Amino acid sequence: MRQQIAAANWKMNLTVTQAEELLNNLLQEPKKLLAHQTVIFAVPFPYLTLAKTKVNGHTNYFVAAQNCSNKKSGAYTGETSIEMLHSIGIEYVVLGHSERREYFAESNAVLAEKLDLALSYGLIPIFCCGEPLSIREAGTQNGFVEQQLKESLFHLSAEQLAKIVIAYEPIWAIGTGKTATAGQAQEMHQHLRAVLAAQYGKETADIVPILYGGSVKGSNAKEIFSKPDVDGGLVGGASLIAADFTQIIDALK
Ligand code: 13P
């Protein structure tokens, strides 16, 4: 079975005390995961080492950064390199979240550079894609998201592509409480897998986990995750509440 992933994206939330309390709640008696199940905490940079310490010893629990620089190293004040993340043992990095695309003008081309750096250091990118409301209303979401994949991913080899995780996050569903229906998620995930299969072959496309993100909660996770091409979720708001995120972990196939 494909890897099934519950990924928490804390975004820019929580003090260190709150972060520690949340991790303690989730990890004191963590759910035992099956071999194909993974839980990832994408925490703010200052809490990466804290989170690493907390997941230590818990099988299939990992920590992600929420971003990285597209430069290898050097005079880029305020930036964080992949090399730094690698040097503190971080295994995953979220790339191309719609908030980074919108507020920090990250283009598909810059994201391609970040992906290359992440893969060259052995970090697993969680590559985010998704359409704004206007595109959904125009009914052109499939082509829009396909273009994001083409421009950021299609220079990768099949071997590299097989290492990444994709997160489909329709922007109109992020933080709005308006979840895509399980049917809408499945429809897009199936489309994305077909796009990957056309470029890389079915065998490679079948390996890549595709997560859904956008108002996933404890109460709707099971239905969304039950769809055959939905391999878990990238969760914002509900990942800040231990009881909710536990329910989301429980909903993994
Ligand atoms: P919400 O779960 O708060 O809608 O956020 C989704 C998201 O952006 C995860 O990356």
PDB file of all heavy atoms in Angstrom, residues 181-183 218-227 230 251:
ATOM      1  N   THR A 181     -15.508  18.470  -1.133  1.00  0.00           N
ATOM      2  CA  THR A 181     -16.156  17.205  -0.802  1.00  0.00           C
ATOM      3  C   THR A 181     -15.154  16.081  -1.070  1.00  0.00           C
ATOM      4  O   THR A 181     -14.181  16.263  -1.827  1.00  0.00           O
ATOM      5  CB  THR A 181     -17.395  16.960  -1.686  1.00  0.00           C
ATOM      6  OG1 THR A 181     -16.950  16.847  -3.046  1.00  0.00           O
ATOM      7  CG2 THR A 181     -18.411  18.086  -1.555  1.00  0.00           C
ATOM      8  N   ALA A 182     -15.401  14.944  -0.453  1.00  0.00           N
ATOM      9  CA  ALA A 182     -14.513  13.805  -0.688  1.00  0.00           C
ATOM     10  C   ALA A 182     -14.479  13.487  -2.182  1.00  0.00           C
ATOM     11  O   ALA A 182     -13.435  13.139  -2.735  1.00  0.00           O
ATOM     12  CB  ALA A 182     -14.999  12.608   0.126  1.00  0.00           C
ATOM     13  N   GLY A 183     -15.597  13.671  -2.839  1.00  0.00           N
ATOM     14  CA  GLY A 183     -15.681  13.417  -4.286  1.00  0.00           C
ATOM     15  C   GLY A 183     -14.816  14.389  -5.083  1.00  0.00           C
ATOM     16  O   GLY A 183     -14.123  13.991  -6.015  1.00  0.00           O
ATOM     17  N   GLY A 218     -11.128  16.463  12.504  1.00  0.00           N
ATOM     18  CA  GLY A 218     -11.361  15.120  13.024  1.00  0.00           C
ATOM     19  C   GLY A 218     -12.659  14.547  12.487  1.00  0.00           C
ATOM     20  O   GLY A 218     -12.767  13.343  12.220  1.00  0.00           O
ATOM     21  N   SER A 219     -13.628  15.411  12.313  1.00  0.00           N
ATOM     22  CA  SER A 219     -14.974  14.938  11.931  1.00  0.00           C
ATOM     23  C   SER A 219     -15.113  14.588  10.447  1.00  0.00           C
ATOM     24  O   SER A 219     -16.024  13.858  10.083  1.00  0.00           O
ATOM     25  CB  SER A 219     -16.003  16.009  12.292  1.00  0.00           C
ATOM     26  OG  SER A 219     -15.633  17.243  11.696  1.00  0.00           O
ATOM     27  N   ASN A 220     -14.252  15.112   9.576  1.00  0.00           N
ATOM     28  CA  ASN A 220     -14.418  14.799   8.143  1.00  0.00           C
ATOM     29  C   ASN A 220     -13.264  13.992   7.547  1.00  0.00           C
ATOM     30  O   ASN A 220     -13.321  13.578   6.387  1.00  0.00           O
ATOM     31  CB  ASN A 220     -14.645  16.083   7.319  1.00  0.00           C
ATOM     32  CG  ASN A 220     -13.475  17.062   7.420  1.00  0.00           C
ATOM     33  OD1 ASN A 220     -12.358  16.676   7.727  1.00  0.00           O
ATOM     34  ND2 ASN A 220     -13.732  18.332   7.160  1.00  0.00           N
ATOM     35  N   ALA A 221     -12.215  13.770   8.347  1.00  0.00           N
ATOM     36  CA  ALA A 221     -11.001  13.129   7.802  1.00  0.00           C
ATOM     37  C   ALA A 221     -11.290  11.728   7.264  1.00  0.00           C
ATOM     38  O   ALA A 221     -10.818  11.360   6.186  1.00  0.00           O
ATOM     39  CB  ALA A 221      -9.923  13.072   8.875  1.00  0.00           C
ATOM     40  N   LYS A 222     -12.078  10.970   8.007  1.00  0.00           N
ATOM     41  CA  LYS A 222     -12.285   9.569   7.620  1.00  0.00           C
ATOM     42  C   LYS A 222     -12.914   9.476   6.224  1.00  0.00           C
ATOM     43  O   LYS A 222     -12.476   8.673   5.392  1.00  0.00           O
ATOM     44  CB  LYS A 222     -13.171   8.877   8.663  1.00  0.00           C
ATOM     45  CG  LYS A 222     -13.208   7.388   8.501  1.00  0.00           C
ATOM     46  CD  LYS A 222     -12.898   6.652   9.803  1.00  0.00           C
ATOM     47  CE  LYS A 222     -12.374   5.264   9.501  1.00  0.00           C
ATOM     48  NZ  LYS A 222     -11.240   4.891  10.313  1.00  0.00           N
ATOM     49  N   GLU A 223     -13.907  10.299   5.990  1.00  0.00           N
ATOM     50  CA  GLU A 223     -14.593  10.236   4.692  1.00  0.00           C
ATOM     51  C   GLU A 223     -13.650  10.650   3.556  1.00  0.00           C
ATOM     52  O   GLU A 223     -13.589   9.991   2.509  1.00  0.00           O
ATOM     53  CB  GLU A 223     -15.828  11.145   4.708  1.00  0.00           C
ATOM     54  CG  GLU A 223     -16.707  10.878   3.497  1.00  0.00           C
ATOM     55  CD  GLU A 223     -17.786  11.935   3.300  1.00  0.00           C
ATOM     56  OE1 GLU A 223     -18.008  12.747   4.207  1.00  0.00           O
ATOM     57  OE2 GLU A 223     -18.377  11.928   2.201  1.00  0.00           O
ATOM     58  N   ILE A 224     -12.898  11.723   3.786  1.00  0.00           N
ATOM     59  CA  ILE A 224     -11.985  12.208   2.734  1.00  0.00           C
ATOM     60  C   ILE A 224     -10.873  11.170   2.477  1.00  0.00           C
ATOM     61  O   ILE A 224     -10.576  10.831   1.330  1.00  0.00           O
ATOM     62  CB  ILE A 224     -11.382  13.579   3.124  1.00  0.00           C
ATOM     63  CG1 ILE A 224     -12.498  14.620   3.266  1.00  0.00           C
ATOM     64  CG2 ILE A 224     -10.374  14.055   2.097  1.00  0.00           C
ATOM     65  CD1 ILE A 224     -12.064  15.939   3.877  1.00  0.00           C
ATOM     66  N   PHE A 225     -10.295  10.652   3.564  1.00  0.00           N
ATOM     67  CA  PHE A 225      -9.166   9.715   3.416  1.00  0.00           C
ATOM     68  C   PHE A 225      -9.616   8.375   2.834  1.00  0.00           C
ATOM     69  O   PHE A 225      -8.786   7.588   2.376  1.00  0.00           O
ATOM     70  CB  PHE A 225      -8.476   9.460   4.763  1.00  0.00           C
ATOM     71  CG  PHE A 225      -7.814  10.663   5.393  1.00  0.00           C
ATOM     72  CD1 PHE A 225      -7.217  10.565   6.653  1.00  0.00           C
ATOM     73  CD2 PHE A 225      -7.780  11.899   4.756  1.00  0.00           C
ATOM     74  CE1 PHE A 225      -6.599  11.661   7.246  1.00  0.00           C
ATOM     75  CE2 PHE A 225      -7.178  13.012   5.341  1.00  0.00           C
ATOM     76  CZ  PHE A 225      -6.590  12.883   6.591  1.00  0.00           C
ATOM     77  N   SER A 226     -10.912   8.106   2.891  1.00  0.00           N
ATOM     78  CA  SER A 226     -11.387   6.800   2.414  1.00  0.00           C
ATOM     79  C   SER A 226     -11.294   6.685   0.894  1.00  0.00           C
ATOM     80  O   SER A 226     -11.334   5.598   0.339  1.00  0.00           O
ATOM     81  CB  SER A 226     -12.832   6.563   2.857  1.00  0.00           C
ATOM     82  OG  SER A 226     -13.697   7.408   2.099  1.00  0.00           O
ATOM     83  N   LYS A 227     -11.146   7.804   0.211  1.00  0.00           N
ATOM     84  CA  LYS A 227     -11.110   7.775  -1.250  1.00  0.00           C
ATOM     85  C   LYS A 227      -9.791   7.150  -1.742  1.00  0.00           C
ATOM     86  O   LYS A 227      -8.737   7.374  -1.140  1.00  0.00           O
ATOM     87  CB  LYS A 227     -11.263   9.199  -1.813  1.00  0.00           C
ATOM     88  CG  LYS A 227     -12.625   9.803  -1.503  1.00  0.00           C
ATOM     89  CD  LYS A 227     -13.710   9.049  -2.238  1.00  0.00           C
ATOM     90  CE  LYS A 227     -15.089   9.562  -1.902  1.00  0.00           C
ATOM     91  NZ  LYS A 227     -16.171   8.760  -2.494  1.00  0.00           N
ATOM     92  N   VAL A 230      -6.732   9.436  -2.298  1.00  0.00           N
ATOM     93  CA  VAL A 230      -6.403  10.368  -1.208  1.00  0.00           C
ATOM     94  C   VAL A 230      -5.597   9.605  -0.160  1.00  0.00           C
ATOM     95  O   VAL A 230      -6.096   8.661   0.446  1.00  0.00           O
ATOM     96  CB  VAL A 230      -7.678  10.977  -0.589  1.00  0.00           C
ATOM     97  CG1 VAL A 230      -7.312  11.932   0.557  1.00  0.00           C
ATOM     98  CG2 VAL A 230      -8.491  11.719  -1.650  1.00  0.00           C
ATOM     99  N   ALA A 251      -7.812   8.350  11.369  1.00  0.00           N
ATOM    100  CA  ALA A 251      -8.573   8.202  10.124  1.00  0.00           C
ATOM    101  C   ALA A 251      -7.716   7.692   8.959  1.00  0.00           C
ATOM    102  O   ALA A 251      -8.242   7.389   7.882  1.00  0.00           O
ATOM    103  CB  ALA A 251      -9.201   9.544   9.741  1.00  0.00           C
TER     104      ALA A 251
END
